[in-house]
Amino acid sequence: MDRFGDWLIMLTAAGLMVWWVIRRFDKWLHEPPGSRLRKLAQAGGVEQDENVTLLEEHGFEVLSGKHRVPLGVVVDDGPVMPTRLYFDYLACREHKYFLVKLERARQPLDWTASGLREKLLPYALLFPDCEGIVIAHTQEAQIKIVRFKVEAGEE
């Protein structure tokens, strides 16, 4: 790197890399709410089945299906233990997004406030732009929407 041209090429490459990093950060910083959900909606296809038909009968447009959210858990600086959360569909109604979970006979939901909190709150926290979580029970042709509301606590 004794010649001036070598330094010029290195400075140009470094400048382009810095410009690219700043541009990516700015894009991430100004990303509109709900863009994560729109990316999920574009990611997966939907097979027409009885669950999709049930959701469409209740006014939902099913955007994508069968999603897996990978997570890592670390306990006391130990190794990362991988795990995942699953939800069945991403649906839209009246320009609002909903996560859809199917109620299965082998994993019934406990319909108490604490049971719903334990099972569904992670989804609401991971996707705060969702309007709610739709629980679809195909055998009973029933749909329920679960929403979490933070209330003023006792101090």
Side-chain angles (χ1 to χ4, degrees), residues 58-137:
H58 284 85
F60 290 95
E61 176 189 354
V62 179
L63 303 172
S64 62
K66 306 298 180 195
H67 289 283
R68 185 181 77 175
V69 180
L71 300 171
V73 179
V74 177
V75 178
D76 289 336
D77 296 326
V80 176
M81 297 178 285
T83 186
R84 40 194 121 24
L85 281 175
Y86 295 96
F87 63 95
D88 296 295
Y89 299 103
L90 179 63
C92 180
R93 181 168 75 177
E94 299 171 1
H95 304 291
K96 296 177 182 173
Y97 291 102
F98 294 85
L99 297 180
V100 179
K101 293 276 298 167
L102 300 177
E103 187 169 12
R104 293 180 168 84
R106 67 179 187 266
Q107 292 178 329
L109 277 174
D110 178 11
W111 285 97
T112 62
S114 60
L116 292 172
R117 180 195 67 220
E118 294 298 318
K119 197 76 163 175
L120 301 177
L121 187 60
Y123 298 100
L125 294 175
L126 275 173
F127 299 99
D129 299 326
C130 277
E131 182 66 22
I133 301 163
V134 175
I135 306 300
H137 197 291

Coordinates of all heavy atoms in Angstrom, one line a residue, residues 58-137:
H58 N -66.0 -16.2 9.0 CA -66.2 -15.2 10.0 C -65.5 -13.8 9.6 O -65.3 -13.0 10.5 CB -65.5 -15.7 11.3 CG -66.4 -16.7 12.0 ND1 -66.4 -18.0 11.7 CD2 -67.3 -16.6 13.0 CE1 -67.2 -18.7 12.4 NE2 -67.8 -17.8 13.2
G59 N -65.2 -13.6 8.4 CA -64.8 -12.3 7.9 C -63.3 -12.1 7.9 O -62.8 -11.0 7.7
F60 N -62.5 -13.1 8.1 CA -61.1 -13.0 8.1 C -60.5 -13.3 6.7 O -61.0 -14.2 6.0 CB -60.4 -13.9 9.1 CG -60.7 -13.5 10.6 CD1 -61.7 -14.1 11.3 CD2 -59.9 -12.6 11.2 CE1 -62.0 -13.7 12.6 CE2 -60.1 -12.2 12.5 CZ -61.2 -12.8 13.2
E61 N -59.5 -12.6 6.4 CA -58.7 -13.0 5.2 C -57.4 -13.6 5.7 O -56.6 -13.0 6.4 CB -58.4 -11.8 4.3 CG -57.5 -12.0 3.2 CD -57.0 -10.8 2.5 OE1 -57.4 -9.6 2.9 OE2 -56.1 -10.9 1.6
V62 N -57.2 -14.9 5.4 CA -56.0 -15.6 5.8 C -54.9 -15.3 4.9 O -54.9 -15.5 3.7 CB -56.3 -17.1 5.9 CG1 -55.0 -17.9 6.3 CG2 -57.4 -17.5 6.8
L63 N -53.8 -14.7 5.5 CA -52.7 -14.2 4.7 C -51.6 -15.2 4.6 O -50.9 -15.3 3.5 CB -52.1 -12.9 5.4 CG -53.1 -11.8 5.6 CD1 -52.5 -10.7 6.4 CD2 -53.6 -11.3 4.2
S64 N -51.3 -16.0 5.6 CA -50.2 -17.0 5.6 C -50.5 -18.0 6.7 O -51.3 -17.8 7.6 CB -48.9 -16.3 5.7 OG -48.8 -15.7 7.0
G65 N -49.8 -19.1 6.6 CA -50.0 -20.2 7.6 C -48.8 -20.9 8.1 O -47.7 -20.8 7.5
K66 N -49.0 -21.5 9.2 CA -47.9 -22.4 9.8 C -46.6 -21.7 10.0 O -45.6 -21.8 9.3 CB -47.7 -23.6 8.9 CG -48.9 -24.4 8.6 CD -49.6 -25.0 9.9 CE -50.9 -25.7 9.5 NZ -51.7 -26.0 10.6
H67 N -46.6 -20.8 11.0 CA -45.4 -20.1 11.3 C -44.7 -20.6 12.6 O -45.4 -21.1 13.5 CB -45.8 -18.6 11.6 CG -46.2 -17.9 10.3 ND1 -45.3 -17.5 9.4 CD2 -47.4 -17.5 9.9 CE1 -45.9 -16.9 8.4 NE2 -47.2 -16.9 8.7
R68 N -43.4 -20.5 12.6 CA -42.6 -20.9 13.7 C -41.7 -19.8 14.0 O -41.0 -19.2 13.2 CB -41.8 -22.1 13.2 CG -40.9 -22.8 14.3 CD -40.2 -23.9 13.7 NE -39.1 -23.3 13.0 CZ -38.1 -24.0 12.4 NH1 -38.2 -25.3 12.4 NH2 -37.1 -23.5 11.8
V69 N -41.7 -19.4 15.3 CA -40.8 -18.3 15.8 C -39.7 -18.9 16.7 O -40.0 -19.4 17.8 CB -41.7 -17.3 16.6 CG1 -40.8 -16.1 17.1 CG2 -42.8 -16.7 15.8
P70 N -38.5 -18.9 16.1 CA -37.4 -19.5 16.9 C -37.0 -18.5 18.1 O -36.9 -17.3 17.9 CB -36.2 -19.6 15.9 CG -36.6 -18.6 14.8 CD -38.0 -18.4 14.8
L71 N -36.7 -19.1 19.2 CA -36.3 -18.4 20.4 C -35.1 -19.1 21.0 O -34.9 -20.3 20.8 CB -37.4 -18.3 21.5 CG -38.7 -17.7 21.0 CD1 -39.8 -17.9 22.1 CD2 -38.5 -16.2 20.8
G72 N -34.3 -18.4 21.8 CA -33.2 -19.0 22.5 C -33.4 -18.6 24.0 O -33.8 -17.5 24.3
V73 N -33.1 -19.6 24.9 CA -33.2 -19.4 26.3 C -31.8 -19.6 26.9 O -31.2 -20.6 26.7 CB -34.2 -20.3 26.9 CG1 -34.3 -20.1 28.4 CG2 -35.6 -20.2 26.3
V74 N -31.4 -18.7 27.8 CA -30.1 -18.8 28.5 C -30.4 -18.7 30.0 O -31.1 -17.8 30.4 CB -29.1 -17.6 28.1 CG1 -27.8 -17.7 28.8 CG2 -28.9 -17.7 26.6
V75 N -29.8 -19.7 30.7 CA -30.0 -19.7 32.2 C -28.6 -19.6 32.8 O -27.7 -20.4 32.5 CB -30.7 -21.0 32.6 CG1 -30.8 -21.0 34.2 CG2 -32.0 -21.2 32.0
D76 N -28.4 -18.5 33.6 CA -27.2 -18.3 34.3 C -25.9 -18.4 33.4 O -25.0 -19.1 33.7 CB -27.0 -19.3 35.5 CG -27.9 -19.0 36.6 OD1 -28.4 -17.9 36.7 OD2 -28.2 -20.0 37.4
D77 N -25.9 -17.6 32.3 CA -24.8 -17.6 31.4 C -24.4 -18.9 30.8 O -23.3 -19.1 30.4 CB -23.6 -16.9 32.0 CG -23.9 -15.5 32.4 OD1 -24.6 -14.8 31.7 OD2 -23.3 -15.0 33.4
G78 N -25.3 -19.9 30.8 CA -25.1 -21.2 30.3 C -25.3 -21.2 28.7 O -25.4 -20.1 28.1
P79 N -25.3 -22.3 28.1 CA -25.4 -22.4 26.7 C -26.9 -22.0 26.3 O -27.8 -22.1 27.1 CB -25.2 -23.8 26.4 CG -25.5 -24.6 27.6 CD -25.1 -23.6 28.7
V80 N -27.0 -21.5 25.1 CA -28.3 -21.1 24.5 C -29.1 -22.4 24.2 O -28.6 -23.3 23.5 CB -28.2 -20.3 23.3 CG1 -29.5 -20.0 22.7 CG2 -27.4 -19.0 23.5
M81 N -30.3 -22.5 24.8 CA -31.2 -23.6 24.6 C -32.2 -23.2 23.6 O -33.0 -22.3 23.9 CB -31.8 -24.1 25.9 CG -30.8 -24.6 26.9 SD -31.6 -25.1 28.5 CE -31.9 -23.5 29.2
P82 N -32.3 -23.8 22.4 CA -33.2 -23.3 21.4 C -34.6 -23.9 21.7 O -34.8 -25.0 22.2 CB -32.7 -23.9 20.1 CG -31.9 -25.1 20.5 CD -31.3 -24.8 21.9
T83 N -35.6 -23.1 21.4 CA -37.0 -23.4 21.5 C -37.8 -22.6 20.4 O -37.2 -21.8 19.8 CB -37.6 -23.2 22.9 OG1 -38.9 -23.7 23.0 CG2 -37.6 -21.7 23.3
R84 N -39.1 -22.9 20.3 CA -39.8 -22.1 19.3 C -41.3 -22.0 19.8 O -41.8 -22.8 20.5 CB -39.7 -22.7 17.9 CG -39.8 -24.1 17.8 CD -39.3 -24.7 16.5 NE -38.3 -25.6 16.4 CZ -37.7 -26.4 17.2 NH1 -38.1 -26.5 18.4 NH2 -36.7 -27.2 16.9
L85 N -41.9 -21.0 19.2 CA -43.3 -20.8 19.4 C -44.0 -21.0 18.0 O -43.4 -20.6 17.0 CB -43.7 -19.4 19.9 CG -43.5 -19.1 21.3 CD1 -43.7 -17.6 21.6 CD2 -44.4 -19.9 22.2
Y86 N -45.1 -21.6 18.0 CA -45.8 -21.9 16.8 C -47.2 -21.1 16.8 O -47.8 -21.1 17.9 CB -46.1 -23.4 16.6 CG -44.9 -24.2 16.5 CD1 -44.4 -24.9 17.6 CD2 -44.3 -24.4 15.2 CE1 -43.3 -25.7 17.4 CE2 -43.2 -25.2 15.1 CZ -42.7 -25.9 16.2 OH -41.6 -26.6 16.0
F87 N -47.6 -20.6 15.7 CA -49.0 -20.2 15.5 C -49.4 -20.7 14.1 O -48.6 -20.8 13.2 CB -49.2 -18.7 15.8 CG -48.5 -17.8 14.9 CD1 -49.1 -17.2 13.8 CD2 -47.2 -17.3 15.2 CE1 -48.5 -16.3 13.0 CE2 -46.6 -16.4 14.4 CZ -47.2 -15.9 13.3
D88 N -50.7 -20.9 14.0 CA -51.2 -21.5 12.8 C -51.4 -20.6 11.6 O -51.0 -21.0 10.5 CB -52.5 -22.3 13.1 CG -52.2 -23.4 14.2 OD1 -51.5 -24.3 13.8 OD2 -52.7 -23.2 15.3
Y89 N -51.9 -19.5 11.8 CA -52.2 -18.6 10.7 C -52.0 -17.1 11.1 O -52.1 -16.8 12.2 CB -53.7 -18.7 10.2 CG -54.0 -20.1 9.7 CD1 -54.7 -21.0 10.4 CD2 -53.6 -20.5 8.4 CE1 -55.0 -22.2 10.0 CE2 -53.9 -21.8 7.9 CZ -54.6 -22.6 8.7 OH -54.9 -23.9 8.3
L90 N -51.8 -16.3 10.1 CA -51.8 -14.8 10.2 C -53.0 -14.4 9.4 O -53.1 -14.7 8.2 CB -50.5 -14.2 9.8 CG -50.5 -12.7 9.8 CD1 -50.6 -12.2 11.3 CD2 -49.2 -12.1 9.2
A91 N -53.9 -13.7 10.0 CA -55.2 -13.3 9.3 C -55.4 -11.8 9.4 O -54.8 -11.1 10.3 CB -56.4 -14.0 9.9
C92 N -56.2 -11.3 8.6 CA -56.5 -9.8 8.6 C -58.0 -9.7 8.5 O -58.7 -10.4 7.8 CB -55.8 -9.2 7.4 SG -56.1 -7.5 7.2
R93 N -58.5 -8.7 9.2 CA -59.9 -8.3 9.1 C -60.0 -6.8 9.4 O -59.5 -6.3 10.4 CB -60.8 -9.1 10.2 CG -62.3 -8.7 10.1 CD -63.2 -9.7 10.8 NE -63.1 -9.5 12.2 CZ -63.8 -10.1 13.1 NH1 -64.6 -11.1 12.8 NH2 -63.6 -9.9 14.4
E94 N -60.7 -6.1 8.5 CA -60.8 -4.7 8.6 C -59.5 -4.0 8.8 O -59.3 -3.1 9.6 CB -61.8 -4.3 9.7 CG -63.2 -4.9 9.6 CD -64.0 -4.7 10.8 OE1 -63.6 -4.1 11.8 OE2 -65.2 -5.2 10.7
H95 N -58.5 -4.4 8.0 CA -57.1 -3.8 8.0 C -56.4 -4.0 9.4 O -55.5 -3.2 9.7 CB -57.1 -2.4 7.6 CG -57.8 -2.2 6.2 ND1 -57.2 -2.6 5.1 CD2 -59.0 -1.6 5.9 CE1 -58.0 -2.3 4.1 NE2 -59.1 -1.7 4.5
K96 N -56.8 -5.0 10.1 CA -56.1 -5.2 11.4 C -55.6 -6.7 11.4 O -56.3 -7.6 10.9 CB -57.1 -5.0 12.6 CG -57.5 -3.6 12.7 CD -58.5 -3.4 13.8 CE -59.0 -2.0 13.9 NZ -60.1 -1.8 14.8
Y97 N -54.5 -6.9 11.9 CA -53.8 -8.2 11.9 C -54.2 -9.0 13.2 O -54.4 -8.5 14.3 CB -52.3 -8.1 11.9 CG -51.8 -7.6 10.6 CD1 -51.4 -6.3 10.4 CD2 -51.8 -8.4 9.4 CE1 -50.9 -5.8 9.2 CE2 -51.3 -8.0 8.2 CZ -50.9 -6.7 8.1 OH -50.4 -6.2 6.9
F98 N -54.4 -10.3 13.0 CA -54.7 -11.3 14.1 C -53.8 -12.5 13.9 O -53.6 -13.0 12.8 CB -56.1 -11.7 14.0 CG -57.1 -10.6 14.3 CD1 -57.5 -9.8 13.2 CD2 -57.6 -10.4 15.5 CE1 -58.5 -8.8 13.5 CE2 -58.5 -9.4 15.8 CZ -59.0 -8.6 14.8
L99 N -53.3 -13.0 15.0 CA -52.6 -14.3 15.0 C -53.7 -15.3 15.2 O -54.6 -15.1 16.0 CB -51.6 -14.4 16.1 CG -50.4 -13.5 16.1 CD1 -49.5 -13.7 17.3 CD2 -49.6 -13.6 14.8
V100 N -53.6 -16.5 14.6 CA -54.6 -17.5 14.7 C -54.0 -18.8 15.3 O -53.0 -19.3 14.8 CB -55.3 -17.8 13.4 CG1 -56.3 -18.9 13.5 CG2 -55.9 -16.6 12.8
K101 N -54.6 -19.3 16.4 CA -54.2 -20.5 17.0 C -55.4 -21.5 16.9 O -56.5 -21.1 17.1 CB -53.8 -20.4 18.5 CG -52.6 -19.6 18.8 CD -51.3 -20.4 18.7 CE -51.3 -21.5 19.7 NZ -50.2 -22.4 19.5
L102 N -55.1 -22.7 16.5 CA -56.2 -23.7 16.4 C -56.3 -24.4 17.8 O -55.3 -24.8 18.3 CB -55.9 -24.7 15.3 CG -55.8 -24.1 13.9 CD1 -55.5 -25.2 12.9 CD2 -57.1 -23.4 13.5
E103 N -57.5 -24.6 18.2 CA -57.7 -25.3 19.5 C -57.7 -26.8 19.1 O -58.5 -27.2 18.3 CB -59.0 -24.9 20.2 CG -59.1 -25.5 21.6 CD -60.2 -24.9 22.4 OE1 -61.0 -24.1 21.9 OE2 -60.2 -25.2 23.6
R104 N -56.8 -27.5 19.8 CA -56.7 -28.9 19.5 C -57.2 -29.8 20.7 O -57.0 -29.4 21.8 CB -55.3 -29.3 19.1 CG -54.8 -28.6 17.8 CD -53.4 -29.0 17.5 NE -53.1 -28.6 16.1 CZ -52.7 -27.4 15.8 NH1 -52.6 -26.4 16.7 NH2 -52.4 -27.1 14.5
A105 N -57.7 -30.9 20.4 CA -58.3 -31.8 21.4 C -57.2 -32.2 22.4 O -57.4 -32.4 23.6 CB -59.0 -33.0 20.8
R106 N -56.0 -32.5 21.9 CA -54.9 -33.0 22.7 C -54.2 -31.9 23.6 O -53.5 -32.2 24.5 CB -53.8 -33.7 21.9 CG -53.1 -32.8 20.9 CD -52.0 -33.6 20.2 NE -51.2 -32.7 19.4 CZ -51.4 -32.4 18.1 NH1 -52.4 -32.9 17.5 NH2 -50.6 -31.6 17.5
Q107 N -54.5 -30.6 23.2 CA -54.0 -29.5 24.0 C -55.1 -28.4 24.2 O -55.0 -27.3 23.7 CB -52.8 -28.8 23.2 CG -51.6 -29.7 23.1 CD -50.5 -29.0 22.4 OE1 -50.8 -28.2 21.5 NE2 -49.3 -29.3 22.7
P108 N -56.1 -28.8 25.0 CA -57.2 -27.8 25.2 C -56.7 -26.6 26.0 O -55.8 -26.7 26.8 CB -58.2 -28.6 26.0 CG -57.4 -29.7 26.7 CD -56.2 -30.0 25.8
L109 N -57.4 -25.5 25.7 CA -57.1 -24.2 26.4 C -57.8 -24.2 27.7 O -59.0 -24.6 27.8 CB -57.5 -23.0 25.5 CG -56.5 -22.6 24.5 CD1 -57.1 -21.5 23.6 CD2 -55.2 -22.1 25.1
D110 N -57.2 -23.6 28.7 CA -57.9 -23.3 30.0 C -58.5 -21.9 29.8 O -57.7 -21.0 29.7 CB -56.8 -23.4 31.1 CG -57.4 -23.1 32.4 OD1 -58.7 -23.0 32.5 OD2 -56.7 -22.9 33.4
W111 N -59.8 -21.8 29.7 CA -60.4 -20.5 29.4 C -60.6 -19.6 30.6 O -61.4 -18.7 30.6 CB -61.8 -20.8 28.7 CG -61.6 -21.3 27.3 CD1 -61.6 -22.5 26.9 CD2 -61.3 -20.4 26.2 NE1 -61.3 -22.6 25.5 CE2 -61.1 -21.3 25.1 CE3 -61.1 -19.1 26.0 CZ2 -60.9 -20.8 23.8 CZ3 -60.9 -18.6 24.7 CH2 -60.7 -19.5 23.7
T112 N -59.7 -19.8 31.6 CA -59.7 -18.8 32.7 C -58.7 -17.7 32.3 O -57.8 -17.9 31.4 CB -59.2 -19.5 34.0 OG1 -57.9 -20.0 33.8 CG2 -60.1 -20.6 34.4
A113 N -58.7 -16.6 33.0 CA -57.8 -15.5 32.7 C -56.3 -15.9 32.9 O -55.5 -15.6 32.0 CB -58.1 -14.3 33.6
S114 N -56.0 -16.7 33.9 CA -54.7 -17.1 34.1 C -54.3 -18.1 33.1 O -53.1 -18.2 32.6 CB -54.5 -17.6 35.6 OG -55.3 -18.8 35.8
G115 N -55.1 -19.0 32.7 CA -54.8 -20.0 31.7 C -54.6 -19.4 30.3 O -53.6 -19.8 29.6
L116 N -55.4 -18.4 30.0 CA -55.1 -17.7 28.7 C -53.8 -16.9 28.8 O -53.1 -16.8 27.8 CB -56.3 -16.8 28.4 CG -57.6 -17.5 28.1 CD1 -58.8 -16.5 28.0 CD2 -57.5 -18.3 26.8
R117 N -53.6 -16.3 29.9 CA -52.3 -15.5 30.1 C -51.1 -16.4 29.9 O -50.2 -16.1 29.2 CB -52.3 -14.9 31.4 CG -51.0 -14.0 31.7 CD -50.9 -13.7 33.2 NE -50.6 -15.0 33.9 CZ -51.1 -15.2 35.1 NH1 -51.9 -14.4 35.7 NH2 -50.8 -16.4 35.7
E118 N -51.1 -17.6 30.5 CA -50.0 -18.5 30.5 C -49.7 -19.0 29.0 O -48.6 -19.1 28.6 CB -50.2 -19.7 31.4 CG -50.2 -19.3 32.9 CD -48.9 -18.7 33.3 OE1 -47.8 -19.2 32.9 OE2 -48.9 -17.7 34.1
K119 N -50.8 -19.2 28.3 CA -50.7 -19.8 27.0 C -50.5 -18.8 25.9 O -49.8 -19.1 24.9 CB -52.0 -20.7 26.7 CG -51.8 -21.6 25.6 CD -51.0 -22.8 26.1 CE -51.3 -24.0 25.1 NZ -50.5 -25.1 25.4
L120 N -51.1 -17.6 26.0 CA -51.2 -16.7 24.8 C -50.4 -15.4 25.0 O -50.2 -14.7 24.0 CB -52.7 -16.4 24.5 CG -53.5 -17.6 24.1 CD1 -55.0 -17.2 23.9 CD2 -53.0 -18.4 22.9
L121 N -50.1 -15.0 26.2 CA -49.4 -13.8 26.4 C -48.1 -13.6 25.6 O -47.8 -12.6 25.1 CB -49.2 -13.5 27.9 CG -48.7 -12.1 28.2 CD1 -49.6 -11.0 27.7 CD2 -48.4 -11.9 29.7
P122 N -47.3 -14.7 25.5 CA -46.1 -14.6 24.7 C -46.3 -14.1 23.3 O -45.6 -13.3 22.7 CB -45.4 -16.0 24.8 CG -46.0 -16.6 26.0 CD -47.4 -16.0 26.2
Y123 N -47.4 -14.6 22.7 CA -47.7 -14.1 21.3 C -48.1 -12.7 21.3 O -47.7 -11.9 20.4 CB -48.9 -15.0 20.8 CG -48.6 -16.4 20.7 CD1 -49.0 -17.3 21.7 CD2 -47.8 -16.9 19.6 CE1 -48.7 -18.7 21.6 CE2 -47.5 -18.3 19.5 CZ -47.9 -19.1 20.5 OH -47.6 -20.5 20.4
A124 N -48.8 -12.2 22.3 CA -49.2 -10.8 22.3 C -48.0 -9.9 22.5 O -47.9 -8.8 22.0 CB -50.3 -10.6 23.4
L125 N -47.0 -10.4 23.3 CA -45.8 -9.6 23.6 C -44.9 -9.6 22.4 O -44.2 -8.6 22.1 CB -45.1 -10.1 24.8 CG -45.9 -9.9 26.1 CD1 -45.2 -10.6 27.3 CD2 -46.2 -8.4 26.4
L126 N -44.8 -10.7 21.7 CA -43.9 -10.8 20.5 C -44.5 -10.0 19.3 O -43.7 -9.5 18.5 CB -43.8 -12.3 20.1 CG -42.7 -13.0 20.8 CD1 -42.7 -14.5 20.4 CD2 -41.3 -12.5 20.5
F127 N -45.8 -9.9 19.2 CA -46.4 -9.2 18.1 C -47.4 -8.1 18.6 O -48.6 -8.3 18.6 CB -47.1 -10.2 17.2 CG -46.2 -11.2 16.6 CD1 -46.1 -12.5 17.2 CD2 -45.5 -10.9 15.5 CE1 -45.3 -13.4 16.6 CE2 -44.6 -11.8 14.9 CZ -44.5 -13.1 15.5
P128 N -46.8 -7.0 19.2 CA -47.7 -6.0 19.8 C -48.6 -5.3 18.8 O -49.6 -4.6 19.2 CB -46.7 -5.0 20.4 CG -45.4 -5.3 19.7 CD -45.4 -6.7 19.3
D129 N -48.3 -5.4 17.5 CA -49.1 -4.7 16.5 C -50.3 -5.5 16.1 O -51.2 -5.0 15.3 CB -48.3 -4.5 15.2 CG -47.1 -3.6 15.5 OD1 -47.2 -2.7 16.3 OD2 -46.0 -3.8 14.9
C130 N -50.5 -6.7 16.6 CA -51.7 -7.5 16.4 C -52.8 -7.0 17.2 O -52.7 -6.6 18.3 CB -51.4 -9.0 16.7 SG -50.6 -9.9 15.4
E131 N -54.0 -7.0 16.6 CA -55.2 -6.6 17.3 C -55.6 -7.6 18.4 O -56.2 -7.3 19.4 CB -56.3 -6.4 16.3 CG -57.6 -5.9 16.8 CD -57.5 -4.5 17.4 OE1 -56.7 -3.8 17.0 OE2 -58.4 -4.2 18.2
G132 N -55.3 -8.9 18.1 CA -55.7 -9.9 19.1 C -55.3 -11.3 18.6 O -54.6 -11.4 17.5
I133 N -55.6 -12.3 19.3 CA -55.3 -13.7 19.0 C -56.6 -14.4 18.8 O -57.5 -14.4 19.7 CB -54.5 -14.3 20.1 CG1 -53.2 -13.5 20.3 CG2 -54.2 -15.8 19.7 CD1 -52.5 -13.8 21.6
V134 N -56.8 -15.0 17.6 CA -58.0 -15.7 17.3 C -57.8 -17.2 17.6 O -56.8 -17.8 17.2 CB -58.4 -15.6 15.8 CG1 -59.6 -16.4 15.4 CG2 -58.6 -14.1 15.4
I135 N -58.7 -17.7 18.4 CA -58.7 -19.1 18.7 C -59.8 -19.8 17.9 O -61.0 -19.4 18.1 CB -59.0 -19.4 20.2 CG1 -58.0 -18.6 21.1 CG2 -58.9 -20.9 20.5 CD1 -56.5 -18.9 20.9
A136 N -59.5 -20.7 17.0 CA -60.5 -21.3 16.1 C -60.6 -22.7 16.5 O -59.7 -23.5 16.7 CB -60.0 -21.2 14.7
H137 N -61.9 -23.1 16.7 CA -62.2 -24.5 17.1 C -63.1 -25.0 15.9 O -64.2 -24.8 15.8 CB -63.0 -24.6 18.4 CG -63.0 -25.9 19.0 ND1 -63.7 -27.0 18.4 CD2 -62.4 -26.4 20.1 CE1 -63.6 -28.0 19.1 NE2 -62.8 -27.7 20.2

